[in-house]
Structures are given as structure tokens and as C-alpha cells.
Amino acid sequence: MARNELTLGSLTARDHAFYGLVWAGTTLSARVDQALIRAHDLPLSWFEVMLWLSGQDEPVAASELGAKTLLSRSQVSRVVDSLSGRGLVERVPSPTDARSVRIALTEAGRRAFAEADATRRAALAEPFDDRLDDEDIEALERVWAKLKAS
């Protein structure tokens, strides 16, 4: 039986660009997720929460994490529970609201994040870093900035 090549047909350049973004995001995310799970038993969703926490000087509210990550409020809560269970994050009382808590990386969490981030970089080296030059990266940065501004 002959094999037909699948194409996107007569879609516009904008359609191709959109599906290219979807493909790139899905493909690269899956690659990083597999590498993080294999090396650290740390899913990408956990890494993403740790990424945001690693850049903060102070503990943050879970709602702030939900607003920045690609996770829903309930997903953030489950991820924080899992990370807390492994001693990677801690909940601290809010200094302004006795009813709420804030989330911070523990020292063990900072070490685990640094190791996982090295794994992420290694997983992306061939499909991303080795194929894209500085001009490509700058172009992507401009595209993301425009898309995020909406």
C-alpha cells in the first residue's frame, strides 16, 4: 500500500505559523518532561512551579503562581502538595493575612531546581540551542513579547 505524505494543505502562512508554534511547544515540552521525569522524577509541571519560585526573593501566594504558570489553581495546589511532600517547598504564613499562606522553595528545593534546570538545558541543547543562532533567539523573543502583550 502506498504511503501518502500528510500536509496541512492550503492553509495560510499564519495558520502554518500557529501550528508551528503548537508543534514546537508540544514537542519541546514533551522532551523536557521526559528528561526531568527520567533524571529527577520531577514532571515539567513541578519544574514550572519551581522555576517561578526560584526567581522570587520572598514567598508567594499560590494564586500568584497560578496566574504565572500554565496550570489551573487546583493543579498548582496539587503540585505544591507534591513538592511539599518531597521537602522541596514550604508553606509560610502570610505576613498580611493570617488566613493565607505563601509558598517558597526550601534549600533542598533550590538544589533540586538547579539540578533539574541543568537537565532541562541538556534536553533542549540539540533540538533548540544547536539549531537556533542568536538572531533566531532574538526573533523568537520579539514574537513572544508581541504575543504576550495581547
Side-chain angles (χ1 to χ4, degrees):
M1 175 181 248
R3 221 174 126 193
N4 293 334
E5 281 296 314
L6 293 178
T7 69
L8 290 176
S10 61
L11 295 178
T12 67
R14 288 182 182 276
D15 292 332
H16 282 270
F18 169 75
Y19 287 110
L21 287 173
V22 171
W23 173 86
T26 301
T27 302
L28 296 173
S29 294
R31 176 177 272 233
V32 170
D33 188 56
Q34 290 169 357
L36 290 171
I37 289 171
R38 189 172 31 249
H40 308 283
D41 192 27
L42 187 80
L44 182 57
S45 59
W46 295 18
F47 177 85
E48 185 183 5
V49 168
M50 294 173 75
L51 171 69
W52 283 101
L53 290 173
S54 73
Q56 310 312 309
D57 293 328
E58 300 290 327
V60 299
S63 60
E64 293 176 57
L65 288 172
K68 291 293 184 182
T69 65
L70 299 175
L71 305 172
S72 69
R73 173 178 274 174
S74 63
Q75 288 172 311
V76 168
S77 179
R78 285 192 298 272
V79 168
V80 168
D81 287 345
S82 297
L83 290 169
S84 179
R86 287 183 45 182
L88 302 177
V89 300
E90 62 184 346
R91 290 177 172 91
V92 295
S94 169
T96 58
D97 182 356
R99 298 168 295 162
S100 65
V101 295
R102 294 180 154 309
I103 315 300
L105 283 176
T106 61
E107 283 307 311
R110 291 197 180 280
R111 287 190 302 275
F113 172 76
E115 293 170 6
D117 196 38
T119 299
R120 176 195 62 86
R121 290 174 192 274
L124 291 175
E126 186 275 326
F128 193 79
D129 298 334
D130 294 351
R131 295 180 191 192
L132 303 178
D133 61 24
D134 290 343
E135 289 179 14
D136 294 330
I137 298 299
E138 289 169 10
L140 283 173
E141 286 289 336
R142 286 191 303 276
V143 169
W144 305 148
K146 287 179 181 180
L147 292 174
K148 286 180 180 180
S150 57

